[in-house]
Amino acid sequence: MAANIVKFLRYFGLEKSTIDLLFNIGDAVLILIFGWIAISMILRIEKKALAKSRLDEALHLFIVKATKVILWIVLLITLLSTLKVPIAPFVTVLGASGAAIALALKDSLGNIAGGIIILINKPFSRGDTIEVAGTMGMVDSIDLLTTQLHTFDNKVVTIPNGTITMSVLINYSQEDTRRVDCVFSISYEADILKAKEILLNVISCNPDILGEPAPIVGVASHGDNAVILDLKVWCSTESFF
């Protein structure tokens, strides 16, 4: 079949180099068509797989876009190779451009890496109360670059994900129960047993306080001017504040 096509083209006076170029262009067109179809199928399968996974939705879009870029770069290199275009300079320029972009966006890339770590490891989720980088608040959203939360006095705080992954993070919502620690001072002349009795009565009247673990009421220390009493009780995390 190919030999007949070559003979047909030579009938019009085309040289061998021109005929080879036409064949290469034809192969490139076929590769482009089948490559485009293959990329579409791969991305469709990937989206379905991600939808069934436990990964955060914010990570789905990043994975799909990254896969799409990589596949199109591979397809472009294949097309250039088919057309007998030297790909070494292209790969060199691509590598140098990638290094320059990575250097210019190193902070942003660090935040993206932090976002991926957060979305995969899930040290916290939307709605959790956390403390990180000196700020405590409830998480509103988690993106690839930043995490947004609002404080209890209704301030919106945006923290770069790179800062979060490099900082000590406290998640107050991860466990079902929390302990409430209270400190009271009474004078040395006051009746310690009576003070304990009052605190225990307060505990018994509060439905949010759990019976197990048992509440603790006792003398913590003797200050310069007062006796320090400790009150430690447990409650559900939702009732803590």
Side-chain angles (χ1 to χ4, degrees), residues 15-28:
E15 297 181 357
K16 184 177 182 303
S17 58
T18 305
I19 295 174
D20 291 340
L21 177 60
L22 292 175
F23 271 104
N24 291 337
I25 293 174
D27 291 340

Side-chain angles (χ1 to χ4, degrees), residues 68-116:
K68 186 176 181 179
V69 170
I70 292 172
L71 290 176
W72 275 105
I73 289 176
V74 172
L75 179 59
L76 179 60
I77 293 175
T78 304
L79 290 174
L80 292 176
S81 178
T82 302
L83 294 172
K84 306 301 181 182
V85 176
I87 61 174
F90 173 77
V91 173
T92 301
V93 171
L94 186 64
S97 301
I101 293 172
L103 185 62
L105 301 176
K106 61 179 181 179
D107 293 335
S108 297
L109 292 175
N111 290 329
I112 291 174
I116 293 173

Side-chain angles (χ1 to χ4, degrees), residues 116-128:
I116 293 173
I117 292 172
I118 292 171
L119 293 171
I120 292 177
N121 293 333
K122 292 189 175 181
F124 57 87
S125 303
R126 292 185 183 91
D128 285 357

Side-chain angles (χ1 to χ4, degrees), residues 66-192:
T67 303
K68 186 176 181 179
V69 170
I70 292 172
L71 290 176
W72 275 105
I73 289 176
V74 172
L75 179 59
L76 179 60
I77 293 175
T78 304
L79 290 174
L80 292 176
S81 178
T82 302
L83 294 172
K84 306 301 181 182
V85 176
I87 61 174
F90 173 77
V91 173
T92 301
V93 171
L94 186 64
S97 301
I101 293 172
L103 185 62
L105 301 176
K106 61 179 181 179
D107 293 335
S108 297
L109 292 175
N111 290 329
I112 291 174
I116 293 173
I117 292 172
I118 292 171
L119 293 171
I120 292 177
N121 293 333
K122 292 189 175 181
F124 57 87
S125 303
R126 292 185 183 91
D128 285 357
T129 300
I130 65 171
E131 182 177 352
V132 62
T135 301
M136 178 190 292
M138 183 176 292
V139 179
D140 290 330
S141 64
I142 308 169
D143 298 322
L144 280 175
L145 287 172
T146 61
T147 293
Q148 188 176 90
L149 48 88
H150 69 269
T151 62
F152 295 107
D153 56 352
N154 211 30
K155 296 176 183 175
V156 177
V157 181
T158 302
I159 305 176
N161 288 331
T163 300
I164 294 176
T165 54
M166 296 297 292
S167 303
V168 175
L169 184 144
I170 303 173
N171 189 333
Y172 294 105
S173 302
Q174 197 160 14
E175 299 296 333
D176 295 330
T177 58
R178 287 188 63 185
R179 194 179 73 184
V180 182
D181 297 341
C182 300
V183 177
F184 300 93
S185 301
I186 62 173
S187 68
Y188 277 101
E189 291 77 19
D191 187 339
I192 295 178

